């Protein structure tokens, strides 16, 4: 089959058979132009995924009808935003970009109250606001909102869809891009599709993976891992209503969608375009590694998962091109990189950097961080990392065992050490973290905790030890400085900007007790914000140091759309890199991950032209002639030639 010829024929047949007269002449022309540009890619992906089905062209036609409907429902303002973003496709690489992630009801009372707090976001310099899932979900445990019952309905305790649209408009007016979650691997068991499946509707039972007995599930199970083994074992749940086993990777109330059925792809595309038309500019792809199942594999990171994401991306390019994807792949670093591409996910979380920042704080060594970043930091110049220190989730130690082995580090034993260190079980640890997902069979776990508590601030305050407190504050500034300067969008988690400590109240809530991630999902109260304005408080110090770094970043274009080179240096406690732009600007960042002073060879200054160098953080001047560079404990330098 000649795909180019068949693509043109298929598109002509589809356009001849669908009615676009509800669009204006200009919109119809624009929609058809985008179809001609992007349909060939979409056609190929659709055939590669569903071409074995006799009804593939029916579903392809239905998909184009869906895209036309999504485009037609897009507001004039959002179509103007499409035009603006297409003219500046790398808008997310600007040095002014600064993100924040939050739960609506932990940051504010509801969506209307959050809109009233836009001045607070502006005061921090936020230009990108990611709201954790805010859709209708089951009462009680809903996996933090990641069990979606209705993508088109806001959880009533947070407000209404009308409130969300108003918020999106208000954020856009203030230059803040709205980011929403696209929970597309599963729905809740209360979604209308799942309810129909429970009632025995075969059409909707085919929207999920449902089995009469354990024969096929057990064959799959041989290769599957358990995500939440502390809650339940295995990946399937028996449903009494349907009298079937249902594939439930995460929780028994989260039913995995069956993407081998093209009706599911089309249905989820419709939901995606609805979210895009609310006014968001990025969609975070939740659990994207799990969306394609293949017998005999781990059912993670399958080739067809990438094809599906590329197909979704093509749909956006046709109907809502202002919207980009953000990858959430907490998997092996080599697999993370495969999702990052202009035609797949333009943005990606950087879980490797996050995990290894904490590793370097625990070990005071940077060799694993340096070599891992040298191997895995480089991505397409048209894409961007989203660099974060903490988020709503747990920390998994997803470094590459081969890189660790090259350095003489046993990956399994080292993960055990990090778990012990960050849950306070290791003698001499400064951290106050909580174990999550502890597997009773293997002893493996992940780690939860706020940035400040993991960095030692909680321990220092409890012991009223000023040295511990000062070291913790220095660690916080250090890791914030790295995510602000290494290249990509820096993403703050709400509450970390003022150093909030762990919240253990989740242990008193029956619906949250089993999920230790709630320890770092902390309410940002007015009292906490007021305390951060008290010069005697630790939150004031965290806030002021962060605000200083943010201001410096926004005045240094080389920290925006520029390249990154991770440097070798002879000191195992120091992490160094340069940022360099096409215009010839160069910045050298040097980071000491030890509480003790460190000396590094002044030859590293050869990365910069000139003989005198300005440290933008301390305001001090250095020269190449001096005998080495002396770094205080946890000191950071951002150096440019004077």
């Amino acid at each position: 089959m000649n795909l180019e010829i068949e693509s043109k024929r298929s598109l002509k047949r589809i356009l001849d058979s669908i009615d676009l007269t509800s669009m204006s002449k200009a919109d119809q022309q624009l929609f058809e132009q985008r179809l001609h540009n992007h349909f060939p890619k979409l056609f190929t992906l659709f055939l590669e995924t569903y071409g074995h089905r006799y009804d593939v062209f029916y579903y392809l036609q239905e998909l184009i009808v869906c895209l036309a409907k999504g485009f037609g429902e897009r507001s004039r303002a959002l179509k103007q935003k499409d035009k603006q973003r297409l003219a500046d496709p790398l808008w997310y690489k600007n040095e002014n970009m600064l993100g924040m992630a939050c739960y609506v009801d932990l940051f504010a009372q509801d969506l209307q109250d959050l809109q009233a707090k836009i001045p607070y976001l502006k005061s921090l310099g936020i230009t990108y606001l990611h709201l954790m899932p805010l859709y209708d979900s089951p009462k009680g445990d809903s996996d933090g909102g990641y069990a979606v019952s209705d993508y088109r309905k806001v959880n009533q305790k947070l407000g209404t869809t009308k409130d969300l649209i108003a918020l999106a408009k208000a954020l856009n007016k203030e230059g803040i891009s709205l980011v929403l979650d696209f929970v597309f691997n599963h729905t809740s068991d209360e979604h209308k599709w799942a309810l129909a499946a429970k009632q025995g509707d075969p059409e909707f039972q085919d929207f999920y993976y449902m089995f009469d007995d354990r024969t096929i599930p057990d064959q799959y199970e041989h290769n599957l891992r358990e995500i939440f083994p502390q809650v339940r074992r295995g990946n399937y749940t028996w449903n009494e209503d349907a009298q079937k086993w249902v594939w439930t990777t995460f929780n028994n109330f989260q039913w995995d969608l069956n993407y081998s059925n093209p009706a599911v792809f089309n249905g989820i595309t419709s939901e995606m375009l609805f979210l895009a038309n609310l006014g968001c500019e990025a969609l975070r792809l939740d659990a994207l590694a799990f969306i394609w199942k293949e017998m005999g594999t781990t059912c993670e990171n399958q080739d067809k998962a990438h094809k599906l994401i590329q197909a979704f991306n093509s749909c956006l390019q046709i109907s809502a091109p202002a919207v980009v994807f953000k990858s959430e792949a907490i998997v092996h670093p080599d697999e993370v990189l495969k999702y990052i591409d202009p035609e797949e996910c333009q943005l990606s979380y950087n879980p490797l950097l996050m995990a290894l920042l904490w590793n370097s704080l625990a070990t005071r060594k940077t060799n694993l961080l340096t070599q891992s970043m040298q191997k895995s930091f480089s991505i397409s110049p048209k894409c961007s990392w989203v660099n974060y220190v903490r988020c709503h989730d747990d920390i998994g130690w997803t470094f590459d065992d081969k890189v660790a082995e090259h350095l003489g580090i046993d990956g399994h034993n080292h993960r055990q050490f990090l778990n012990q260190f960050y849950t306070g079980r290791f003698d001499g640890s400064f951290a106050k973290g909580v174990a999550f997902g502890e597997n009773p069979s293997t002893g493996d776990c992940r780690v939860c905790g706020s940035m400040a508590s993991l960095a030692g601030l909680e321990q220092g305050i409890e012991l009223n030890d000023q040295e511990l407190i000062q070291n913790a504050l220095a660690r916080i500034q250090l890791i914030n400085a790295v995510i602000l300067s290494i290249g990509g969008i820096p993403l703050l988690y709400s509450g970390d900007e003022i150093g909030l400590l762990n919240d253990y109240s989740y242990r008193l809530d029956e619906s949250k007790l089993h999920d230790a991630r709630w320890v770092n999902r902390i309410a940002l109260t007015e009292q906490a914000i007021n305390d951060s304005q008290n010069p005697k408080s630790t939150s004031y110090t965290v806030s002021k140091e962060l605000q200083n770094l943010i201001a410096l970043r926004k005045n240094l274009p080389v920290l925006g759309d520029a390249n990154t080179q991770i440097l070798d240096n002879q000191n195992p406690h120091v992490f160094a890199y340069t940022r360099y732009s096409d215009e010839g600007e160069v910045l050298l960042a040097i980071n000491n991950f030890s509480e003790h002073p460190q000396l590094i060879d002044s030859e590293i200054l050869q990365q910069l032209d000139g003989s005198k160098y300005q440290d933008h953080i301390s305001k001090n001047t250095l020269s190449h002639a001096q005998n080495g560079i002396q770094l205080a404990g946890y000191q950071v330098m951002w150096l440019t030639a004077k």
Side-chain angles (χ1 to χ4, degrees), residues 195-310:
L195 294 177
K198 287 180 185 180
Q199 292 166 8
D201 187 325
E203 178 184 354
F204 289 101
Q205 287 191 345
D206 198 32
F207 270 50
Y208 302 95
Y209 291 91
M210 306 182 78
F211 306 94
D212 294 328
D213 57 44
R214 290 287 310 196
T215 304
I216 295 176
D218 286 345
Q219 291 174 26
Y220 275 109
E221 199 79 79
H222 285 305
N223 299 289
L224 304 180
R225 65 185 173 111
E226 295 174 318
I227 305 300
F228 296 146
Q230 83 286 4
V231 177
R232 64 183 179 86
R233 311 310 300 269
N235 289 269
Y236 296 87
T237 300
W238 176 254
N239 183 262
E240 284 290 341
D241 293 332
Q243 288 291 294
K244 289 182 183 292
W245 289 94
V246 185
W247 199 322
T248 54
T249 297
F250 295 97
N251 286 288
N252 58 10
F253 49 82
Q254 290 167 298
W255 289 15
D256 287 35
L257 286 163
N258 175 15
Y259 277 100
S260 68
N261 177 2
V264 170
F265 181 88
N266 288 2
I268 288 294
T269 297
S270 179
E271 305 307 306
M272 175 183 74
L273 295 180
F274 178 84
L275 299 179
N277 288 344
L278 293 175
C280 68
E281 293 188 59
L283 288 168
R284 170 192 174 275
L285 301 188
D286 177 62
L288 80 176
F290 296 87
I291 61 173
W292 189 265
K293 322 297 190 190
E294 200 77 55
M295 180 71 80
T297 74
T298 62
C299 297
E300 297 180 40
N301 303 304
Q302 299 301 300
D303 287 343
K304 285 191 177 178
H306 293 280
K307 293 184 189 300
L308 287 171
I309 297 165
Q310 291 167 28

Side-chain angles (χ1 to χ4, degrees), residues 120 127 262 281 291 500:
Y120 176 74
T127 60
E281 293 188 59
I291 61 173
L500 293 186

Side-chain angles (χ1 to χ4, degrees), residues 451-470:
M451 176 184 68
S453 290
L454 293 177
L457 189 57
E458 184 175 334
Q459 182 190 78
I461 291 172
E462 282 183 357
L463 298 176
N464 194 25
D465 186 315
Q466 287 304 308
E467 182 179 359
L468 294 179
I469 290 172
Q470 291 308 311

Side-chain angles (χ1 to χ4, degrees), residues 304-332:
K304 285 191 177 178
H306 293 280
K307 293 184 189 300
L308 287 171
I309 297 165
Q310 291 167 28
F312 281 126
N313 196 333
S314 294
C315 292
L316 280 180
Q317 295 307 311
I318 294 166
S319 293
V323 182
V324 296
F325 281 150
K326 177 168 67 170
S327 162
E328 186 257 358
I330 312 303
V331 291
H332 188 281

Side-chain angles (χ1 to χ4, degrees), residues 333-560:
D334 291 347
E335 296 296 337
V336 172
L337 293 174
K338 293 177 183 178
Y339 293 97
I340 307 170
D341 187 271
E343 295 186 345
E344 197 157 338
C345 295
Q346 298 89 345
L347 309 178
S348 175
Y349 280 125
N350 196 344
L352 181 62
L353 175 65
M354 179 275 298
L356 292 182
L357 289 176
W358 291 107
N359 169 74
S360 292
L361 287 179
T363 62
R364 282 74 164 180
K365 298 289 183 65
T366 60
N367 51 354
L368 185 56
L369 174 61
T370 295
Q371 291 209 12
S372 297
M373 290 300 104
Q374 286 176 335
K375 178 178 184 286
S376 301
F377 192 82
S378 179
I379 56 175
S380 166
K382 295 182 179 180
C383 298
S384 178
W385 287 114
V386 176
N387 298 313
Y388 62 109
V389 171
R390 287 298 296 115
C391 66
H392 71 287
D393 222 336
D394 54 279
I395 300 176
W397 309 109
T398 58
F399 55 82
D400 187 333
D401 280 7
K402 289 184 179 178
V403 175
E405 183 181 1
H406 177 73
L407 296 168
I409 299 170
D410 180 282
H412 176 267
N413 290 340
H414 195 61
R415 289 184 180 89
Q416 294 286 344
F417 157 71
L418 291 169
N419 285 331
Q420 294 294 307
F421 187 95
Y422 279 107
T423 55
R425 303 169 184 173
F426 188 85
D427 189 35
S429 169
F430 50 73
K432 286 276 190 174
V434 179
F436 173 68
E438 202 153 15
N439 191 319
S441 302
T442 65
D444 291 338
C445 71
R446 278 109 67 195
V447 172
C448 300
S450 75
M451 176 184 68
S453 290
L454 293 177
L457 189 57
E458 184 175 334
Q459 182 190 78
I461 291 172
E462 282 183 357
L463 298 176
N464 194 25
D465 186 315
Q466 287 304 308
E467 182 179 359
L468 294 179
I469 290 172
Q470 291 308 311
N471 279 341
L473 292 171
R475 291 185 196 104
I476 291 169
Q477 183 183 32
L478 166 66
I479 51 182
N480 278 334
V482 173
I483 67 165
L484 284 160
S485 62
I486 196 169
I489 300 173
L491 180 68
L492 308 175
Y493 184 66
S494 173
D496 283 347
E497 78 277 12
I498 57 174
L500 293 186
L501 304 179
N502 287 345
D503 180 0
Y504 300 101
S505 65
Y506 77 97
R507 293 172 175 169
L508 304 176
D509 186 331
E510 195 65 35
S511 68
K512 297 177 180 178
L513 177 61
H514 68 280
D515 191 343
R517 291 174 298 179
W518 286 103
V519 78
N520 49 262
R521 297 170 180 175
I522 308 161
L524 182 69
T525 64
E526 289 298 328
Q527 183 62 53
I529 294 173
N530 291 336
D531 288 345
S532 72
Q533 296 167 359
N534 178 358
K536 295 181 180 180
S537 69
T538 55
S539 56
Y540 177 87
T541 303
V542 171
S543 175
K544 288 302 175 186
E545 289 180 346
L546 176 60
Q547 287 177 30
N548 177 54
L549 291 171
I550 291 169
L552 289 174
R553 170 186 163 86
K554 289 181 180 259
N555 282 295
L556 290 166
V558 72
L559 294 183

